[in-house]
């Protein structure tokens, strides 16, 4: 396993600001954390339920946002004219769209690392993407899905790829908007969708989202990232049973607990 320093911890696991212009205020209770009050279990349940119920409406609203449309148009132009992956990553807007769409928004400012990792061979166990897999598996997932280093920039230029990435970008921006109204709401919604993929502590630690939700929900210090993998897995396993993430009710309880802890403390909810 790769040793991780405090500096690497900050780089790989730092969150990114959630900003946007779409108003989803109807989803969140008036006593959100931004107003200094602690949310309660009822308001958290309501916010989660409304976010999931209104997904189609939210996506359509986000897709109409002028800035998001502008970002997508820029990405399409850059990708279609690009000769290499570096051309895409050298453009700030195109880089942001591509990396955000693939779950790498918090890494968008690390251009040099992105160029090395996203051009690497996912099958090579010594490649940058493979070496980062245990720390942030999203890098390897992205390179595996879009093997530009092996197949060339053409894999991103076909219409299906352009559509998938721009649709994913809209989806990620929707989650950002949810987070803006109730901190962590977008992350909680996404966690519920991917939780079944986290079969053990190793999977949780390799998923930035899984790590964030689980460590917050169970009050596990983020600094465990500088410890050995064995120590990190023990910290997870002593507080929860990852096998229970296959149970929808348990996952919902975790999502609620995460939001409660993130927005002021634990009040009347167990998982």
């Amino acid at each position: 396993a790769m040793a991780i320093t405090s500096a690497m911890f900050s780089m790989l696991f730092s969150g990114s600001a959630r900003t946007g212009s779409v108003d989803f205020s109807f989803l969140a209770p008036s006593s959100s954390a931004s107003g200094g009050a602690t949310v309660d279990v009822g308001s958290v349940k309501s916010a989660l339920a409304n976010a999931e119920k209104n997904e189609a409406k939210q996506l359509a609203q986000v897709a109409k946002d002028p800035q998001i449309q502008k970002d997508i148009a820029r990405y399409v132009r850059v990708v279609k004219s690009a000769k290499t992956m570096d051309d895409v990553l050298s453009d700030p807007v195109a880089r942001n769209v591509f990396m955000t769409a693939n779950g790498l928004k918090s890494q968008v400012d690390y251009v040099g690392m992105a160029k090395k990792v996203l051009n690497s061979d996912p099958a090579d166990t010594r490649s940058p993407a493979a070496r980062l897999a245990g720390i942030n598996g999203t890098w390897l997932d992205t390179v595996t899905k879009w093997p530009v280093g092996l197949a060339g920039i053409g894999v991103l230029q076909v219409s299906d790829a352009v559509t998938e990435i721009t649709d994913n970008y809209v989806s990620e921006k929707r989650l950002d908007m949810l987070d803006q109204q109730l901190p962590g709401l977008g992350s909680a919604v996404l966690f519920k969708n991917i939780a079944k993929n986290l079969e053990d502590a190793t999977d949780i630690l390799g998923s930035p989202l899984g790590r964030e939700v689980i460590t917050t929900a169970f009050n596990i210090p983020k600094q465990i990232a500088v410890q050995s993998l064995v120590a990190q897995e023990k910290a997870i396993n002593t507080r929860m049973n990852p096998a229970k993430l296959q149970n929808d009710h348990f996952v919902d309880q975790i999502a609620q607990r995460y939001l409660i802890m993130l927005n002021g403390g634990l009040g009347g909810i167990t998982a």
Side-chain angles (χ1 to χ4, degrees), residues 213-233:
V213 172
I214 295 299
T215 56
T216 300
F218 291 94
N219 200 27
I220 302 172
K222 299 293 190 293
Q223 289 74 15
I224 65 166
V226 302
Q227 300 177 5
S228 69
L229 181 60
V230 172
Q232 293 181 61
E233 291 178 343

Side-chain angles (χ1 to χ4, degrees), residues 38-216:
T38 301
V39 300
D40 57 32
V41 176
S43 62
V44 162
K45 288 182 177 179
S46 178
L48 275 170
N50 284 331
E52 294 172 324
K53 177 182 177 181
N54 295 302
E55 179 179 4
K57 180 179 180 180
Q58 295 157 8
L59 288 171
Q61 188 175 356
V62 171
K64 294 177 182 177
D65 183 272
Q67 184 58 56
I68 292 175
Q69 291 181 338
K70 184 178 179 180
D71 291 347
I72 289 175
R74 174 71 182 179
Y75 173 78
V76 173
R77 288 197 302 272
V78 170
V79 167
K80 287 187 175 180
S81 64
K83 301 299 182 184
T84 67
M85 187 63 182
D86 284 4
D87 292 336
V88 176
L89 297 175
S90 292
D91 183 274
V93 175
R95 180 175 70 250
N96 181 59
V97 170
F98 179 80
M99 294 184 69
T100 298
N102 286 284
L104 291 167
K105 178 181 178 180
S106 66
Q107 309 297 300
V108 74
D109 291 332
Y110 302 104
V111 186
M113 183 172 76
K115 288 181 177 180
K116 289 182 180 179
V117 178
L118 296 176
N119 279 300
S120 64
D121 180 356
D124 183 354
T125 57
R126 297 169 298 177
S127 71
R131 292 173 62 197
L132 284 171
I135 302 171
N136 184 342
T138 309
W139 287 107
L140 183 58
D141 292 342
T142 301
V143 176
T144 301
K145 185 169 184 61
W146 311 112
V148 178
L150 296 176
I153 194 64
V155 300
L156 296 181
Q157 294 174 325
V158 297
S159 59
D160 286 350
V162 172
T163 298
E164 181 173 347
I165 289 171
T166 54
D167 284 351
N168 286 349
Y169 181 67
V170 170
S171 295
E172 288 292 327
K173 297 304 287 185
R174 172 219 172 208
L175 297 177
D176 286 351
M177 300 307 113
L178 295 178
D179 280 348
Q180 187 180 30
Q181 299 305 322
L182 177 63
L185 181 57
S187 297
V189 169
L190 184 58
F191 174 77
K192 291 183 66 174
N193 291 337
I194 63 96
K196 280 186 168 61
N197 298 327
L198 307 176
E199 298 181 355
D200 53 32
T202 301
D203 288 342
I204 292 171
L205 293 168
S207 164
L209 177 62
R211 175 188 288 265
E212 162 64 17
V213 172
I214 295 299
T215 56
T216 300

